[in-house]
Amino acid sequence: MNSIILVDDQSITNFITRKLLEIEGVEIPVEDFTNPIEALAHVNENEEMFILLDLNMPEMSGWEFLEHLNTNKFPPKVVILTSSTSELDQERAKKYSFVLDYLIKPLKQQVVAELLRKYCLVNK
Amino acid sequence: MQDISKNSGQLYRITYEAYSKFANKISRCKTLKEVGEVSKTHLKYLLNYHIIRLTVEQGKKHLLFSLTKNEVDYDFEEKSEMLPHEKELLEKGIPVFTDKIPMKWLESNINTSLLEKPEMWAWLFNNNGRKVTVTLISDKNKAFTVADLEILKLAVDCFEAKFHEIYLARMLFKKNKSLEEALAIIKSKNIEIQSIVKNQRHIIDERTSEIVEKNKKLLHISALNAHNIREPLTRIQGLIELFPHYNNEGIRQELIPKIKYSAEEMDKILQAVIKMATKELRILKIESE
């Protein structure tokens, strides 16, 4: 895995996630975006990217973001990180094969640790 | 040629034949007009009369019929009064034979100027349990004798049965008609009711779909609100999650301002939600009034 990308319109959320990743010993580069359009431009098929994606954003919703990624031949791995507890949203997210998980905020340190272990994002 | 008036056997046979012809024809009549026609042609062979008037007891009422040479008059509407001698007959049952004729009645039915010494006969008969009064006017030219009473009785029998039959048919027709009218009214009311029901159903459907739409809208708003409120709250929770990894100074410098910012944002959202809910409630209140 080359990098982790955080996409959330709230910079504070990105701050929290980044901090939790650091605490859990992530060494690969972490980049964060409050504008999903910019994040989409940054996605590069030649690099292995792991994206933590919010759903409710003003410029472009997480769903639109996923639709764009869906046109890629090799879409990056995505984990949804949202404050929406809606089951409808969870069902909808399952339709994308490259969406690995659906996490509900607030993000806990323990959940981050499990996530890193599960997708081999740390060398622990 | 032999004088048949002196051969009572032959006379009886002729009278009997005339009567059976008369009775036969009367029984086939369907209307009073036909009864009148038959009487006109056949009754004169049986007995002499200028007018025969019948009152027939029908329940509590008395139906009136009068037969002149040419026609049958009847009063099914029970508008005409009974004559005084008829009332007396019904009370006492004593037959009447008199030259004191209620002229007013007679004149309204026949031309009395041609009568010569008119006489009035009247009897009370009991036909099938119905009281029937018979009044007959004869005169010198058309004399009635007691000998004719038997044949008159038979004729009255015949008339009374036919009148009764026609009366019942008429009542049946009337009843059928009023039943038909009632049925028509019921039908039209049914159509009216059906259209009202249909209209009501339409209104209910419309109102229901309106309410469903409103509910959907409200649910959507409430879900959206909950989500919007939850977002800054999760930030506060996330920041608190970081506390163990900061020293006091770090918490004060880096985390508290972010918590404060998120709390303020949450408050703004809550205030907006309250404002919107109040507005919705006001609209609902106005609509329901």
Side-chain angles (χ1 to χ4, degrees):
Chain A
M1 198 66 63
N2 297 117
S3 63
I4 297 174
I5 314 274
L6 310 181
V7 187
D8 197 308
D9 61 315
Q10 292 295 332
S11 57
I12 293 175
T13 305
N14 284 339
F15 166 81
I16 296 163
T17 313
R18 178 186 281 276
K19 224 40 186 183
L20 286 171
L21 291 172
E22 272 174 30
I23 291 161
E24 284 303 311
V26 168
E27 283 169 357
I28 52 173
V30 176
E31 292 180 78
D32 61 86
F33 294 89
T34 51
N35 185 339
I37 297 166
E38 283 171 26
L40 202 60
H42 186 76
V43 173
N44 180 343
E45 273 190 81
N46 298 321
E47 285 183 53
E48 270 195 62
M49 288 177 171
F50 190 92
I51 300 174
L52 278 166
L53 178 69
D54 184 22
L55 289 177
N56 202 12
M57 295 177 286
E59 291 91 354
M60 180 191 269
S61 77
W63 303 117
E64 286 172 89
F65 191 90
L66 287 173
E67 276 306 307
H68 279 286
L69 291 185
N70 211 9
T71 59
N72 285 11
K73 204 171 176 186
F74 301 107
K77 291 181 170 112
V78 176
V79 166
I80 294 194
L81 178 58
T82 174
S83 53
S84 162
T85 54
S86 155
E87 278 179 28
L88 286 174
D89 285 347
Q90 294 187 37
E91 288 299 312
R92 196 172 164 192
K94 274 184 192 165
K95 285 178 192 158
Y96 298 91
S97 61
F98 55 94
V99 173
L100 308 174
D101 255 314
Y102 186 99
L103 302 179
I104 293 167
K105 293 175 192 171
L107 200 53
K108 302 270 183 191
Q109 194 182 334
Q110 203 192 329
V111 174
V112 174
E114 272 169 33
L115 190 79
L116 296 176
R117 223 177 8 254
K118 197 168 167 190
Y119 303 109
C120 302
L121 296 165
V122 281
N123 307 316
K124 268 185 185 175
Chain B
M1 210 176 134
Q2 215 180 336
D3 182 3
I4 58 162
S5 62
K6 284 179 184 141
N7 184 339
S8 66
Q10 202 177 0
L11 188 67
Y12 182 77
R13 247 193 329 275
I14 288 166
T15 311
Y16 176 75
E17 255 170 51
Y19 174 74
S20 69
K21 216 174 198 175
F22 165 77
N24 209 349
K25 292 214 167 173
I26 287 285
S27 77
R28 281 190 212 137
C29 290
K30 289 213 169 68
T31 63
L32 288 172
K33 201 183 162 204
E34 283 171 23
V35 174
E37 287 296 316
V38 171
S39 309
K40 201 167 105 187
T41 12
H42 293 274
L43 200 59
K44 62 188 177 203
Y45 298 118
L46 296 174
L47 43 92
N48 286 332
Y49 68 98
H50 285 289
I51 182 164
I52 298 173
R53 174 177 151 110
L54 307 181
T55 72
V56 180
E57 189 184 49
Q58 187 69 52
K60 283 177 183 171
K61 300 174 284 186
H62 288 272
L63 310 177
L64 306 181
F65 304 91
S66 67
L67 280 152
T68 55
K69 267 185 292 174
N70 299 321
E71 56 186 346
V72 174
D73 266 342
Y74 57 92
D75 174 29
F76 278 163
E77 314 300 328
E78 302 111 37
K79 277 176 189 152
S80 350
E81 273 282 307
M82 286 183 78
L83 300 172
H85 77 274
E86 287 170 339
K87 287 181 186 165
E88 212 177 303
L89 259 176
L90 280 168
E91 237 172 71
K92 296 175 184 163
I94 303 164
V96 178
F97 173 56
T98 178
D99 55 1
K100 289 183 189 113
I101 300 163
M103 290 309 284
K104 205 177 158 193
W105 158 69
L106 194 61
E107 277 161 0
S108 70
N109 284 283
I110 53 170
N111 183 357
T112 51
S113 62
L114 299 172
L115 296 180
E116 200 177 322
K117 286 188 182 169
E119 289 164 336
M120 181 171 83
W121 304 70
W123 304 267
L124 177 71
F125 295 153
N126 196 327
N127 279 37
N128 305 314
R130 287 185 295 276
K131 282 181 178 171
V132 180
T133 72
V134 182
T135 305
L136 186 143
I137 304 294
S138 60
D139 73 346
K140 209 178 167 189
N141 298 324
K142 283 196 171 179
F144 184 85
T145 64
V146 178
D148 297 324
L149 189 57
E150 265 323 297
I151 203 80
L152 175 71
K153 249 184 186 166
L154 286 171
V156 165
D157 244 3
C158 223
F159 281 129
E160 194 276 331
K162 181 49 69 179
F163 290 157
H164 188 64
E165 183 190 314
I166 290 170
Y167 173 78
L168 289 183
R170 238 180 122 94
M171 288 298 125
L172 198 67
F173 177 75
K174 260 188 178 169
K175 277 213 175 109
N176 270 346
K177 213 171 157 186
S178 68
L179 273 178
E180 267 169 34
E181 277 167 11
L183 207 69
I185 289 169
I186 289 167
K187 261 186 194 166
S188 83
K189 288 281 166 198
N190 255 348
I191 290 167
E192 217 173 279
I193 289 165
Q194 265 170 3
S195 87
I196 289 169
V197 167
K198 213 171 153 191
N199 196 26
Q200 289 288 75
R201 200 175 293 148
H202 181 71
I203 289 168
I204 290 167
D205 283 351
E206 222 170 51
R207 288 278 153 85
T208 308
S209 75
E210 254 172 48
I211 289 166
V212 165
E213 272 310 304
K214 225 171 246 173
N215 268 349
K216 264 191 196 165
K217 220 165 113 187
L218 286 173
L219 278 175
H220 183 71
I221 288 168
S222 79
L224 212 73
N225 284 340
H227 181 262
N228 285 343
I229 295 160
R230 212 172 167 270
E231 196 278 320
L233 175 68
T234 63
R235 269 186 270 151
I236 295 167
Q237 287 173 304
L239 289 164
I240 292 166
E241 182 83 7
L242 296 177
F243 270 37
H245 308 285
Y246 278 80
N247 59 24
N248 277 353
E249 188 56 24
I251 289 169
R252 227 190 299 279
Q253 294 283 321
E254 272 205 72
L255 300 185
I256 299 280
K258 288 186 174 68
I259 289 175
K260 196 180 166 212
Y261 173 83
S262 298
E264 276 165 3
E265 214 172 282
M266 194 169 139
D267 184 43
K268 263 187 224 160
I269 294 166
L270 272 172
Q271 282 189 31
V273 166
I274 291 163
K275 205 170 162 186
M276 201 203 257
T278 315
K279 202 172 133 192
E280 288 277 335
L281 276 175
R282 204 169 287 148
I283 290 167
L284 276 177
K285 214 176 165 190
I286 289 164
E287 273 177 8
S288 68
E289 272 169 11

